[in-house]
Every structure is written in structure tokens, then in C-alpha cells.
């Protein structure tokens, strides 16, 4: 078969054999040697011709099928099915949870990356094992890897990177890595990092709203210690730093209880949506006036909070996705601090 000679395997290369097959087929399609509907060698033919395991060739062909470069025809073999879109950037977008905030980043990224890309979204739910499996299976498949690294320990504490997660991330070429949300000093300088500085972000945002905050007697942070999806400890540290520096009485609670004692002059900062809903309901039950008797600040903005007039302290999730897309398209590297602001509305 003529197309057989277009597959190049370098026995001395450190590149996995299946990846060499994928790259050979894509390269030959992109330069016109392999055309639409042209037949390529069967899995058995390629494995025997290059003395490769059948699993190796099958893995390569599965990747090419996922990218719609080739398709099998029952009883006939594999044929080239895509040529014009071969230059698309293939991107794995790996997030820790499927929240409205994370989807805001993802949707902004999709809106700005343009049509010359294919983006696969995967969610690993803070689970180290699932994260490792996803990256191990795909670490040679994509052109870019956009990763939000958030994990939980056995006692439900937040950690930005585990040792095993760091090790597998290091196996991905630097030029392919885009790390979002978390800045980690262990990662090399030659990558893209678009990050929040959780401790200083909340400190500076509260400082920005100091004139409003100062009219309240006590500042209460609802920080879920045992949340299924834990929050960075920097939020807690920055809150304490602000209260101590400005001599503001404060308290840290794990959740909003159904029988919470509300006192005029309290200002609450909630992180989880369920706590915000419960708190607003109890404020109404007490017949307190929101933003006058009791203040509420919510962590992370959403369109619904804007509609309801809830004051927030929040990073700009759309900007994070937009910046990631721009840096990929412009082939930029570097560390970029994402904006974080105090957004004053009617609840303080």
C-alpha cells in the first residue's frame, strides 16, 4: 500500500510510538500527501510492518478517530475523512468542579479562542486519582492543556497541588501548559499562569469597601471547613489579616444554621450559594432590612447576584478565560494576575 511509506517511526525517539503514528498521519494529511477518502493501512498491517503491538496502533487510530481525521468503514478499513480542519488547535480544558464560576471561565475561553480550535472539557471533582487518570490518558494527545489545579486532602482540606499531580503536570511540555486560578512557585517560569492571589485578593477587596464595612459592628465569615469542594485557606488568612489590621470584630463560622442568631450591625461574608440563600431567608424572617440592619457580601459574582443586588468580592471569571485564549493565540508565556474587586451593590 502506497500510504504505508508515509508513516514514520523513529526507534531512537523518546516520543511514544502511537504519538508518532498520529503525528505522521496528521502531517501527511496537512501537506496533501493523504487526501480525502484515501485508504490508510489497517491496524494489523501497521503493527506487523513496524513490529508494533496491536494496542499501540489501535491507540493511535482511536486518537485520529476522535479528531475526525480518519473513520472506519465496515469490512473495508480506515479512510481519511478530514483535511481542511487539520490545523485546528486541540485543547484539553481540565477543571476541578462544574460550578457557574468555572463555566463562566470556560465559556469566555470558548468565545475568545475562535473557530480554529477544538476544546474538550473534563471535570475531575477535586479527585487526585481521576485527575491523574485523565492526564495520563491524554498527556500526548492535545496541543494545549488548560488546567485548574485544586485538590482535597483526606480530611477535606484544600491543596493547590499534590505531589503526584505536580509530577504528571511536569511531564507535559511547558509550551503546552496553561495553569488557571492557582499560582504555584514549584512550576517553571516558561508556562502560562493566570491566577488569583486568594489571601491578598480578599484583603484588598475588603479594604476597597472599608467605608461601607466600617459602619457594621461585627464581620462574620462563613467558611465551610468540611465542604465537599474545599476552599483555599488563603481566603481565611486574608479575612483575618483585614479584620486585625483595621481593628474590626470578627467571627468565623462553618455554616449558616437554621436557627442562626442575627443581631443588628452584623455583616456576613458567605462563600457557598446555599449559605447565601439561607441567610437572606432568615434576614427576611427577622424582618431586618438588608444593607442597613444586616449586611451581606458574597464571594464570587454571578448574574443572579447582580440581579438581586448582592454586594460581592470576586475575581473576573470572564477575564480569566479571555486572557487564557489570548495568550494561546498570541503564543505568549508568563504569569498574569487576574483582577479581583469589591463590587458595591445594595446589600451593604
Amino acid at each position: 500500500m502506497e500510504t504505508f511509506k508515509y508513516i514514520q517511526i523513529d526507534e531512537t525517539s523518546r516520543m511514544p510510538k502511537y504519538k508518532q503514528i498520529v503525528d505522521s498521519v496528521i502531517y501527511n494529511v496537512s501537506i496533501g500527501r493523504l487526501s480525502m477518502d484515501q485508504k490508510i493501512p489497517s491496524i494489523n498491517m501497521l503493527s506487523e510492518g513496524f513490529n508494533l503491538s496491536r494496542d499501540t496502533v489501535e491507540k493511535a487510530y482511536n486518537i485520529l478517530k476522535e479528531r475526525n481525521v480518519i473513520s472506519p468503514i465496515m469490512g473495508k478499513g480506515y479512510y481519511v475523512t478530514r483535511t481542511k480542519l487539520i490545523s485546528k488547535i486541540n485543547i484539553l480544558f481540565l477543571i476541578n468542579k462544574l460550578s457557574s464560576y468555572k463555566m463562566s471561565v470556560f465559556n469566555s475561553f470558548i468565545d475568545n479562542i475562535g473557530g480554529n480550535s477544538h476544546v474538550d472539557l473534563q471535570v475531575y471533582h477535586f479527585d487526585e486519582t481521576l485527575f491523574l487518570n485523565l492526564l495520563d490518558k491524554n498527556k500526548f494527545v492535545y496541543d494545549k492543556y488548560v488546567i485548574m489545579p485544586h485538590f482535597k486532602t483526606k480530611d477535606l482540606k484544600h491543596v493547590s497541588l499534590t505531589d503526584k499531580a505536580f509530577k504528571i503536570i511536569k511531564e507535559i511540555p511547558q509550551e503546552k501548559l496553561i495553569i488557571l486560578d492557582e499560582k504555584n512557585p514549584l512550576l517553571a517560569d516558561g508556562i502560562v499562569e493566570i491566577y488569583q492571589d486568594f489571601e491578598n485578593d480578599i484583603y484588598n477587596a475588603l479594604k476597597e469597601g472599608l467605608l461601607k464595612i466600617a459602619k457594621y459592628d461585627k464581620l462574620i465569615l462563613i467558611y465551610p471547613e468540611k465542604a465537599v469542594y474545599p476552599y483555599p485557606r488563603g481566603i481565611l488568612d486574608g479575612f483575618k489579616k483585614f479584620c486585625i489590621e483595621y481593628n474590626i470584630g470578627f467571627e468565623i463560622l462553618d455554616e449558616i444554621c437554621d436557627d442562626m442568631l442575627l443581631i443588628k450591625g452584623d455583616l456576613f461574608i458567605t462563600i457557598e450559594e446555599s449559605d447565601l440563600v439561607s441567610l437572606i431567608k432568615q434576614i427576611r424572617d427577622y424582618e431586618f432590612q438588608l444593607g442597613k440592619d444586616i449586611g451581606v457580601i458574597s464571594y464570587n459574582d454571578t448574574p443572579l447576584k447582580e440581579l438581586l443586588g448582592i454586594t460581592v468580592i470576586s475575581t473576573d471569571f470572564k477575564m480569566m478565560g479571555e486572557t487564557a485564549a489570548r495568550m494561546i493565540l498570541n503564543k505568549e508565556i508568563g504569569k498574569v494576575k487576574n483582577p479581583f474587586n469589591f463590587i458595591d451593590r445594595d446589600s451593604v
Side-chain angles (χ1 to χ4, degrees):
M1 180 178 287
E2 182 183 2
T3 56
F4 197 95
K5 65 183 180 182
Y6 298 146
I7 309 296
Q8 301 294 322
I9 301 293
D10 182 358
E11 294 292 342
T12 65
S13 174
R14 300 298 188 269
M15 184 69 70
K17 299 295 192 302
Y18 76 87
K19 182 67 166 56
Q20 292 188 49
I21 296 171
V22 171
D23 290 346
S24 288
V25 172
I26 288 178
Y27 172 72
N28 282 286
V29 170
S30 66
I31 64 174
R33 283 181 183 163
L34 293 176
S35 57
M36 186 72 75
D37 297 326
Q38 189 166 356
K39 188 176 182 179
I40 64 172
S42 68
I43 292 176
N44 287 336
M45 184 183 298
L46 207 58
S47 62
E48 291 172 5
F50 286 103
N51 195 26
L52 299 171
S53 72
R54 195 179 188 282
D55 288 344
T56 296
V57 182
E58 189 171 18
K59 184 173 184 178
Y61 277 28
N62 283 337
I63 293 171
L64 291 167
K65 283 193 295 181
E66 288 174 5
R67 296 190 183 184
N68 297 319
V69 177
I70 65 172
S71 290
I73 297 179
M74 186 69 70
K76 293 187 176 181
Y78 287 89
Y79 291 80
V80 175
T81 54
R82 191 178 86 176
T83 56
K84 291 183 180 179
L85 302 181
I86 204 66
S87 61
K88 278 198 172 188
I89 303 172
N90 288 282
I91 302 169
L92 177 63
F93 204 102
L94 196 52
I95 62 175
N96 54 302
K97 64 178 178 178
L98 203 59
S99 68
S100 59
Y101 320 122
K102 305 299 180 179
M103 290 310 298
S104 180
V105 177
F106 177 74
N107 290 332
S108 175
F109 180 82
I110 293 297
D111 289 342
N112 286 276
I113 196 64
N116 193 35
S117 64
H118 173 78
V119 184
D120 288 329
L121 176 65
Q122 295 282 355
V123 186
Y124 63 93
H125 303 288
F126 283 77
D127 186 88
E128 181 191 58
T129 301
L130 181 55
F131 178 86
L132 296 175
N133 288 340
L134 284 169
L135 263 194
D136 186 58
K137 184 174 69 173
N138 293 294
K139 63 185 176 183
F140 297 113
V141 175
Y142 292 88
D143 303 306
K144 297 290 181 180
Y145 296 79
V146 183
I147 301 172
M148 290 187 183
H150 293 277
F151 299 92
K152 59 184 175 183
T153 62
K154 291 181 179 179
D155 57 350
L156 296 182
K157 301 295 184 183
H158 177 274
V159 60
S160 60
L161 268 184
T162 66
D163 291 340
K164 290 180 179 178
F166 173 71
K167 182 178 179 181
I168 198 166
I169 286 175
K170 288 285 287 181
E171 294 177 12
I172 298 172
Q174 291 183 13
E175 68 274 10
K176 294 186 175 186
L177 267 179
I178 299 91
I179 303 295
L180 299 185
D181 226 20
E182 284 275 4
K183 184 180 181 182
N184 196 299
L186 296 176
L187 295 172
D189 291 332
I191 66 171
V192 174
E193 279 188 287
I194 305 160
Y195 65 93
Q196 299 187 62
D197 181 351
F198 292 97
E199 179 177 342
N200 289 315
D201 279 347
I202 188 172
Y203 168 82
N204 289 322
L206 293 175
K207 185 177 176 181
E208 189 179 340
L210 182 59
L211 288 178
K212 285 276 187 97
I213 292 170
K215 72 179 184 181
Y216 291 92
D217 300 323
K218 190 173 188 179
L219 193 52
I220 303 164
L221 174 65
I222 310 302
Y223 181 87
E225 283 283 356
K226 299 296 182 181
V228 175
Y229 297 141
Y231 295 93
R233 301 293 295 183
I235 296 173
L236 201 58
D237 297 336
F239 170 78
K240 291 178 181 178
K241 177 181 174 182
F242 169 79
C243 293
I244 292 170
E245 184 168 327
Y246 289 96
N247 196 30
I248 296 174
F250 70 92
E251 186 175 0
I252 298 168
L253 302 176
D254 185 62
E255 63 178 341
I256 295 289
C257 302
D258 292 337
D259 54 352
M260 178 76 70
L261 176 63
L262 301 184
I263 300 175
K264 285 186 178 181
D266 287 344
L267 172 58
F268 289 85
I269 299 177
T270 63
I271 298 178
E272 293 205 327
E273 302 288 292
S274 57
D275 285 322
L276 175 62
V277 171
S278 179
L279 177 61
I280 296 297
K281 183 179 182 301
Q282 291 187 57
I283 290 172
R284 291 175 178 174
D285 290 343
Y286 269 86
E287 297 184 350
F288 284 147
Q289 185 175 343
L290 181 64
K292 183 177 180 181
D293 300 324
I294 301 287
V296 174
I297 298 174
S298 186
Y299 195 91
N300 290 334
D301 199 14
T302 65
L304 183 59
K305 292 174 188 176
E306 181 180 7
L307 181 65
L308 296 176
I310 303 297
T311 297
V312 298
I313 48 178
S314 179
T315 198
D316 189 330
F317 294 103
K318 289 184 178 180
M319 180 64 72
M320 185 177 289
E322 180 182 327
T323 303
R326 188 200 72 234
M327 294 184 78
I328 288 175
L329 293 173
N330 294 339
K331 299 180 179 179
E332 300 175 36
I333 60 171
K335 302 177 188 293
V336 178
K337 170 72 173 64
N338 204 58
F340 191 100
N341 299 298
F342 176 89
I343 303 175
D344 186 17
R345 294 183 182 133
D346 301 328
S347 64
V348 174

